Amino acid sequence: MTEMFKNLIAGEWASAGNASRNINPSNTNDVVGEYAQGSVEQMNDAVAAAKAAFPAWSRSGPQERYEILKKASDEILARKEELGRLLSREEGKTLAEGIGEAGRAGQIFAFFAGECLRLSGEAIPSVRPGVGVEITREPVGIIGMITPWNFPIAIPAWKIAPALAYGNCVVIKPADLVPGSAWALVDIIQRAGLPKGVLNLVMGRGSIVGQALLQHKDVHAISFTGSVSTGRKVAEACIASSPMKKVQLEMGGKNPLVVLDDADLKIAVEAAVTGAYFSTGQRCTASSRLIVQAGIHDRFVEACIERLKGVVVDDALKSGTHIGPVVDQSQLDQDLKYIQIAKDEGGKLAWGGEVLKRETPGFYLQPALFTETTNAMRISREEVFGPVANVIRAKDYEEALALANDTEFGLSAGICTTSLKHATHFKRNSEAGMVMVNLATAGVDYHVPFGGRKGSSYGPREQGAYAKEMYTTVKTAYTLA
Ligand code: NAD
């Protein structure tokens, strides 16, 4: 019998009237589980529970928070193989990637356990004699979180861990397509000793429970990761609500990887292929625009195709698979739509792009590489969010930099070069929030800030010590001594 997973409200598992089936994209006959589809009433109950828990939790000591986050980290790390298997089964990234992501969630909890003990303030003299000034950080309050399907445990972890570390209460709504990993994470954190109501989980439709969270007057801040179009709606709702909500948006990307004539070809090809196609290209940081200088262009394309010939697309859980399936039929349709658009616009499909049949029914797509594309084409301007990349030819470094920056997005950008001069110039002049030299645009550390510029991000950075900008609010207190 299929297992039924409930919402967590005020420390109790609560069933909902409806449920959705979580389907394995590597084998659509395999149902991962039935997950509650919450209602507006459940969302209101979850916010009320968070509100009731906030006074005590916001005053809890750093030692209590440290111990809970550390215990959660220990369990996540101890169970990372099992959690990684669940993640790969529901989302379709390979088992190695799934286990890596689960381990990442454990490391994030360990980092923020430490941050509980590192919160500090300042005491400085006033410009008025006899007056002292203290600057302290306080929790923001009740944080609503809305997360996407492509990093189903890491993104909930990198939002929940800092929120709890700094004394906030949380209501999280994970992606309805892939809710299992977030459910497992919340279960672990709750059992680590969290008081009831501090963390609440309401699964379900964005347009129903997501909207209810955005519109709730008792929610103080929203941390959102997802598409640009939803992000815009989230920001509008946060500003329209009374009082206005603090808001953080992490959205799409169209990340350039520049390859200069003097690049190490092996490094450049590895950065391009892993960055563009691994995790099925379903990463906001995917290297989807390959901007290649004319002198190395043909050798680079040829070497990429050779490398792609050895890439195995198959069941995410099978050993030997390099790239799993696309997450569902509608994402596969979107990928195929963009492949057709690129062809219609005059791009040359140099490799892949066809739907593949495997032992089990799933959404398998051969990675697609386009050449002869320009930066004006839709394939260069719009996020595909699949294993599709295109090569744009540039005559020199200056043109390559201009092309890299000619985008509405600004999440991550990379350059492959052996020139210190060009690497240094690119780091300073790229309009992205994260810049990589001789590395893929995807693949980041968990203890440093993550985020972009322009249309990719809005509000404070996520991760590392910078997360406190989102999850704390500053108070300035004056005392006449
Ligand atoms: P999405 O915008 O469709 O959904 C994201 C979340 O918003 C889901 O939980 C969804 O249920 C919810 N939602 C949808 N409509 C809503 C509404 N009207 N009100 C409230 N909530 C609503 O995105 P997705 O398809 O799940 O994820 C893919 C996107 O996420 C891509 O654009 C990708 O680039 C982006 N992403 C960005 C980052 C980053 O850190 N920059 C990381 C991962 C993914």
Side-chain angles (χ1 to χ4, degrees), residues 26 84-85 87-89 91-101 277-280 312-325:
S26 300
R85 179 167 286 275
L87 197 167
S88 297
R89 188 173 160 215
E91 197 271 351
K93 62 182 69 171
T94 65
L95 190 53
E97 290 169 331
I99 293 170
E101 187 182 328
Y277 303 113
F278 280 36
S279 298
T280 322
V312 177
V313 181
D314 207 333
D315 188 324
L317 297 177
K318 249 191 195 173
S319 74
T321 296
H322 300 122
I323 296 179

Side-chain angles (χ1 to χ4, degrees), residues 169-423:
C169 290
V170 173
V171 178
I172 181 164
K173 191 216 90 63
D176 39 348
L177 189 60
V178 183
S181 299
W183 189 96
L185 177 69
V186 167
D187 172 52
I188 289 172
I189 306 165
Q190 187 60 36
R191 285 187 294 93
L194 205 62
K196 291 182 176 193
V198 173
L199 172 62
N200 304 273
L201 168 78
V202 182
M203 300 174 285
R205 301 278 298 277
S207 55
I208 300 169
V209 285
Q211 274 299 314
L213 184 60
L214 293 177
Q215 281 160 6
H216 203 296
K217 66 174 178 32
D218 292 336
V219 173
H220 301 97
I222 296 284
S223 179
F224 167 85
T225 303
S227 62
V228 176
S229 60
T230 311
R232 193 170 286 281
K233 286 186 211 157
V234 168
E236 282 166 3
C238 288
I239 300 305
S241 75
S242 184
M244 292 182 198
K245 297 178 183 15
K246 188 172 184 178
V247 61
Q248 170 183 60
L249 310 173
E250 284 300 340
M251 301 170 287
K254 197 73 211 178
N255 310 289
L257 179 71
V258 169
V259 178
L260 296 185
D261 284 350
D262 64 13
D264 178 318
L265 186 63
K266 213 165 155 226
I267 288 177
V269 169
E270 210 46 35
V273 171
T274 59
Y277 303 113
F278 280 36
S279 298
T280 322
Q282 297 173 153
R283 294 191 279 195
C284 49
T285 49
S287 313
S288 51
R289 284 187 301 143
L290 307 171
I291 299 169
V292 185
Q293 203 177 345
I296 198 172
H297 179 278
D298 294 356
R299 279 184 294 136
F300 172 80
V301 169
E302 204 179 301
C304 279
I305 292 171
E306 274 315 302
R307 176 74 172 82
L308 283 169
K309 283 179 186 167
V311 163
V312 177
V313 181
D314 207 333
D315 188 324
L317 297 177
K318 249 191 195 173
S319 74
T321 296
H322 300 122
I323 296 179
V326 171
V327 73
D328 72 350
Q329 185 64 50
S330 83
Q331 183 61 50
L332 180 60
D333 291 344
Q334 172 160 313
D335 298 348
L336 294 171
K337 181 188 90 178
Y338 274 104
I339 288 170
Q340 191 56 48
I341 288 171
K343 286 182 190 167
D344 294 346
E345 286 183 314
K348 180 183 158 208
L349 184 57
W351 175 257
E354 63 278 358
V355 173
L356 301 171
K357 286 236 175 303
R358 292 294 178 253
E359 262 172 48
T360 47
F363 309 108
Y364 299 105
L365 180 62
Q366 186 74 274
L369 179 69
F370 279 92
T371 55
E372 312 307 326
T373 63
T374 70
N375 205 44
M377 293 176 177
R378 283 182 69 188
I379 193 73
S380 301
R381 307 213 72 84
E382 297 169 24
E383 186 182 48
V384 179
F385 217 56
V388 182
N390 59 299
V391 179
I392 303 163
R393 202 186 292 256
K395 67 174 186 303
D396 53 21
Y397 167 73
E398 285 69 27
E399 190 187 25
L401 173 67
L403 288 167
N405 284 337
D406 177 16
T407 170
E408 284 179 22
F409 296 102
L411 188 55
S412 182
I415 186 166
C416 292
T417 180
T418 49
S419 153
L420 181 62
K421 182 179 135 192
H422 287 140

